[in-house]
Amino acid sequence: MDKKILLSHGGGGEESNQLIHELFYQYFSNEILLKSEDAAILTTKGNIAFTTDSFTVSPLFFAGGDIGKIAIAGTLNDLSMMGAKPLYVSCAFIIEEGMDYNDLEKIVKSMTEELSHNDAKIVCGDTKVVPKGSIDKIFITTSGIGEVVTPGISAQNIDEHDMIIVSRDIGRHGATILAERESIDITSNLSSDCKSLWPVVKHLLDHGIKPKAMRDATRGGLAAVLNEWAVSSNICIELDEEAIPISEEVQGLCEIFGFEATDFANEGTFILALRPEQVDKALKLLHAFQDDQSASLIGKVTTKKPKKVILNTPWGSSRYLDLPKGELLPRIC
């Protein structure tokens, strides 16, 4: 019989102790966590970045990832975008009574693998089990601490003449979740871009790239990031629509459902604002590191319409690229 999560696994007694030691400690093992203190004592060398996020994605398992992978990558990517090396993570699970133990173990394994890409550790956590029907299987909250190795990266630092780069093709995570929810049989390689960004960010920083701003384009996608930047720095961002990399699979789904790829969520794609003289070097580094040529220069910063993002089309017309409105896809991360 398949093993199930019981309410007693969150009761603080013998079953809780077994779950913690036989599952969480087995996969998340490190000297800080195994001390089992009320709080972790941490050591850092300088300024730290601190962030938190909750993850409720549906379905739990999708092409290219699962809720465990996205819970680690999503939080640690927020640290990476501030030029901070991810170090420590806290993790809180809220689990529905009756969840398959094997599914929980798959999620925990996935989290362990993603932590290894960042050389980061889960150092504290919490587990609650709630009655069946209270939630949809599992919700995960992660918080992360990173050591700032490149200070000064900010959405408020962008100036006229800076250039805008996207690290790869956009919209894959949103399109993948949409396709799986709608049970669309896509005979292609469409999968989420979900992954940790610290390795590629470190590669850029180690080779002398000095981003003015960086942001992973999660909920709200490219459109949300650029509109937030335009407001924060009181600048205009003009985009070349033809230069925005979009895969055929993502574009096809957008046309079927009437969405814009620029609004779709990403979980392993980031945007950089750079001085013009660093653009060619940054693109070469991205292409080589990722073994992928989709990283592209997509726009520039001007003063034409402060606080606005303008999309210049291949036909010579222009339109505003606005913030996405409404909830395109709930529970996407």
Side-chain angles (χ1 to χ4, degrees), residues 20-328:
I20 291 169
H21 284 81
E22 295 176 6
L23 181 63
F24 298 134
Y25 280 9
Q26 177 186 347
Y27 288 101
F28 297 154
S29 177
N30 62 72
E31 68 282 6
I32 301 173
L33 181 67
L34 294 184
K35 288 182 179 177
S36 301
E37 304 284 3
D38 279 350
I41 305 299
L42 309 177
T43 302
T44 59
K45 296 177 181 175
N47 289 340
I48 63 168
F50 180 36
T51 188
T52 191
D53 210 341
S54 296
F55 298 87
T56 67
V57 64
S58 177
L60 297 181
F61 300 92
F62 49 85
D66 57 56
I67 192 172
K69 181 178 183 180
I70 203 173
I72 297 299
T75 290
L76 300 192
N77 286 347
D78 287 346
L79 299 175
S80 301
M81 294 300 100
M82 297 303 292
K85 185 207 175 303
L87 294 176
Y88 304 118
V89 182
S90 75
C91 179
F93 295 94
I94 298 178
I95 308 170
E96 182 186 25
E97 175 192 17
M99 182 180 184
D100 286 340
Y101 185 93
N102 289 340
D103 283 347
L104 179 59
E105 186 170 26
K106 287 180 189 175
I107 290 166
V108 171
K109 283 182 178 178
S110 182
M111 297 174 75
T112 302
E113 182 177 348
E114 209 57 31
L115 285 164
S116 71
H117 297 318
N118 297 272
D119 195 24
K121 301 172 182 175
I122 289 180
V123 294
C124 56
D126 186 41
T127 304
K128 296 289 190 299
V129 180
V130 296
K132 192 172 183 60
S134 298
I135 62 168
D136 184 8
K137 297 182 179 64
I138 186 170
F139 294 163
I140 302 175
T141 297
T142 48
S143 300
I145 291 175
E147 187 175 281
V148 177
V149 295
T150 300
I153 298 172
S154 170
Q156 299 179 13
N157 284 349
I158 308 170
D159 298 312
E160 185 180 10
H161 307 308
D162 286 344
M163 308 300 278
I164 307 296
I165 286 177
V166 63
S167 68
R168 57 165 299 165
D169 60 308
I170 64 168
R172 281 186 170 269
H173 183 68
T176 299
I177 297 298
L178 174 63
E180 298 210 13
R181 284 190 197 165
E182 297 295 330
S183 301
I184 297 174
D185 182 18
I186 299 177
T187 55
S188 73
N189 292 321
L190 178 62
S191 62
S192 170
D193 59 332
C194 181
K195 71 171 184 178
S196 292
L197 291 172
W198 175 246
V200 66
V201 169
K202 181 178 186 301
H203 183 68
L204 293 174
L205 300 179
D206 286 348
H207 286 80
I209 298 300
K210 298 178 180 177
K212 301 283 290 293
M214 288 194 291
R215 184 72 60 85
D216 51 340
T218 54
R219 283 184 300 174
L222 181 75
V225 170
L226 296 183
N227 273 282
E228 288 168 10
W229 280 4
V231 172
S232 293
S233 284
N234 193 31
I235 41 95
C236 174
I237 297 175
E238 293 191 63
L239 299 178
D240 176 2
E241 186 177 40
E242 267 193 316
I244 299 173
I246 305 171
S247 70
E248 290 183 1
E249 299 93 336
V250 171
Q251 188 60 47
L253 278 169
C254 286
E255 291 174 1
I256 291 171
F257 289 94
F259 290 132
E260 297 287 347
T262 48
D263 295 347
F264 265 174
N266 311 269
E267 290 296 339
T269 303
F270 64 110
I271 319 298
L272 296 99
L274 293 169
R275 299 302 301 165
E277 59 271 20
Q278 292 219 301
V279 168
D280 289 345
K281 183 177 180 180
L283 287 174
K284 287 178 183 176
L285 289 167
L286 286 168
H287 293 161
F289 188 85
Q290 299 177 148
D291 193 22
D292 180 289
Q293 299 298 305
S294 60
S296 301
L297 172 65
I298 60 171
K300 61 185 178 183
V301 178
T302 71
T303 56
K304 187 173 182 178
K305 292 281 185 180
K307 303 185 189 298
K308 291 290 185 181
V309 180
I310 297 174
L311 195 63
N312 295 316
T313 74
W315 301 279
S317 60
S318 298
R319 64 181 174 87
Y320 291 132
L321 181 67
D322 294 319
L323 274 169
K325 292 182 173 61
E327 184 61 87
L328 301 180

